[in-house]
């Protein structure tokens, strides 16, 4: 066996369903999304909570009571940024303009320096601590993290983080991950390389890769990870609403032999019955062949083994 193997996935076929953008202003939508999923499968969910969401409104006490009930039922709460808004100055590069403009203007951690990223993560953890809520996962808004955010994460005791395409282990132990031909994670000439997908070497072997999923995840700072693109809906525009269910089906099929399928639901999904029905049908189908669990439970089932 070569590469960086995951132990603990023998026979594992997991499904992780997460509710994004949980805040007082979006609580009713988030709670109704969870209820819709549980109409077809009584599963444990991961709620991605934004402590100081940029949209005002809503009832904080109602959200807190609802999340207390979620924790009591075995759900997980994860930190999902602090404000969920990208306020850093934008650069002129094409990638920067696309990811922080066209793709999303809510990638809060896309361009923060390490100090500011750490400050916001710390504020978020303080907010959780004030309520006595456990938090072991960090998911950046819009799945975007720049070099400063990756560096800041090193100073915190999270078990995992996720980007759009990968599930990253933050508690893994092992030697420094090397890129092609031992040249470090950037490969030849110091240039970032396209991420390598996991190559199974038998039904029980899956590889972890240190490579970055996109421009805002510098390879030199990214921990070992599992290839697991998230199923997600583009609810904010008509073409996205038409295409994303089809793309989700294709992606779920492509991941059929992989240990993890992720489904991310956002508050706008609730307002489009076709998307909601598709999400329900997807969960109902996948729980027949996979075990639904929180992201934390999945992370704790993985062990970084290092080069073989």
């Amino acid at each position: 066996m070569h590469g960086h193997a995951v132990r603990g996935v023998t026979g594992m076929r997991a499904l992780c369903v997460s509710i994004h953008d949980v805040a007082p202003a979006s609580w009713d939508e988030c709670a109704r999304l969870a209820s819709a999923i549980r109409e077809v499968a009584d599963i444990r969910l991961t709620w991605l909570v934004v402590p100081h969401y940029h949209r005002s409104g809503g009832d904080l006490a109602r959200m807190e009571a609802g999340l207390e009930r979620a924790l009591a039922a075995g759900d997980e709460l994860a930190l999902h940024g602090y404000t969920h808004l990208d306020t850093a100055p934008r650069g002129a590069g094409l990638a920067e303009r696309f990811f922080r403009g066209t793709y999303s203007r809510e990638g809060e951690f896309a361009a923060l320096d390490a100090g500011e990223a750490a400050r916001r993560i710390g504020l978020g953890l303080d907010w959780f601590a004030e309520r006595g809520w456990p938090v072991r996962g960090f998911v950046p808004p819009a799945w975007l993290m720049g070099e400063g955010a990756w560096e800041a994460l090193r100073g915190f005791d999270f078990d995992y983080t996720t980007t759009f395409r990968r599930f990253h282990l933050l508690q893994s132990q092992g030697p420094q991950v090397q890129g092609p031909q031992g040249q470090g994670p950037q490969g030849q000439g110091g240039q970032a390389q396209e991420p390598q997908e996991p190559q199974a070497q038998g039904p029980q072997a899956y590889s972890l890769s240190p490579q970055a999923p996109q421009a805002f995840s510098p390879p030199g700072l990214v921990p070992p990870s599992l290839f697991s693109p998230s199923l997600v809906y583009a609810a904010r525009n008509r073409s996205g609403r038409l295409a994303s269910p089809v793309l989700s089906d294709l992606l779920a099929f492509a991941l059929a032999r992989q240990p993890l399928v992720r489904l991310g639901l956002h508050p706008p999904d609730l307002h489009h019955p076709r998307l909601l029905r598709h999400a329900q049908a997807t969960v109902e189908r996948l729980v027949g062949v996979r075990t639904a669990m929180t992201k934390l439970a999945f992370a704790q089932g993985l062990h970084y083994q290092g080069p073989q």
Side-chain angles (χ1 to χ4, degrees):
M1 186 184 301
H2 300 283
H4 308 281
V6 177
R7 296 185 298 179
V9 298
T10 302
M12 179 185 285
R13 292 293 185 274
L15 169 67
C16 294
V17 179
S18 56
I19 309 293
H20 288 237
D21 307 349
V22 179
S26 61
W27 173 249
D28 287 342
E29 295 162 306
C30 293
R32 289 168 62 192
L33 282 173
S35 295
I37 295 302
R38 286 179 169 141
E39 286 178 10
V40 298
D42 188 13
I43 62 176
R44 293 183 175 181
L45 303 170
T46 298
W47 301 74
L48 307 187
V49 185
V50 187
H52 194 64
Y53 195 44
H54 65 87
R55 278 178 47 205
S56 60
D59 187 331
L60 175 62
R62 285 184 63 236
M63 184 193 76
E64 290 174 336
L67 292 179
E68 289 280 3
R69 290 191 297 271
L71 282 171
D75 288 355
E76 175 199 0
L77 307 185
L79 179 61
H80 191 39
Y82 188 62
T83 67
H84 207 285
L85 185 65
D86 182 358
T87 56
R90 286 181 175 81
L94 289 177
E96 179 112 343
R97 285 158 55 188
F98 172 77
F99 282 112
R100 300 181 59 210
T102 305
Y103 168 66
S104 177
R105 296 181 183 273
E106 295 189 322
E108 179 183 0
F109 286 80
L112 297 179
D113 62 39
E116 180 60 16
R119 186 186 75 86
R120 296 192 190 197
I121 293 171
L123 288 172
L125 291 176
D126 289 345
W127 186 90
F128 270 79
E130 288 169 4
R131 289 153 179 81
W133 292 347
V135 55
R136 303 297 306 161
F138 174 78
V139 178
W143 288 299
L144 295 177
M145 282 198 289
E147 182 175 352
W150 283 110
E151 183 179 343
L153 273 182
R154 292 178 167 183
F156 294 93
D157 190 35
F158 292 110
D159 281 71
Y160 72 87
T161 188
T162 57
T163 54
F164 175 68
R165 299 203 317 202
R166 308 199 76 91
F167 191 105
H168 297 266
L169 293 176
L170 300 177
Q171 293 294 325
S172 58
Q173 300 296 321
Q176 175 67 36
V177 174
Q178 295 296 310
Q181 302 175 4
Q183 295 168 356
Q186 289 184 315
Q188 295 182 347
Q191 297 299 311
Q193 303 296 305
E194 180 65 19
Q196 301 298 309
E197 311 310 345
Q199 299 296 317
Q201 309 209 5
Q204 299 176 359
Y206 299 90
S207 67
L208 282 174
S209 167
Q211 300 293 341
Q214 33 79 0
F216 292 96
S217 303
L221 297 173
V222 179
S225 64
L226 184 75
F227 180 71
S228 178
S230 183
L231 280 60
V232 65
Y233 301 108
R236 289 187 171 90
N237 62 79
R238 185 174 182 274
S239 59
R241 291 193 296 272
L242 292 172
S244 54
V246 176
L247 295 174
S248 290
D249 286 341
L250 292 173
L251 182 55
F253 178 78
L255 294 172
R257 298 187 62 188
Q258 299 301 323
L260 175 63
V261 170
R262 298 155 51 201
L263 172 63
L265 299 174
H266 293 77
D269 299 340
L270 182 73
H271 304 295
H272 302 282
R274 178 172 175 266
L275 299 184
L276 195 58
R277 287 194 300 268
H278 187 273
Q280 290 175 312
T282 298
V283 170
E284 190 170 25
R285 181 178 73 253
L286 290 177
V287 294
V289 294
R290 291 179 174 272
T291 301
M293 62 184 69
T294 64
K295 289 184 174 183
L296 177 59
F298 183 78
Q300 291 177 338
L302 297 179
H303 304 280
Y304 173 55
Q305 183 172 306
Q308 295 292 303

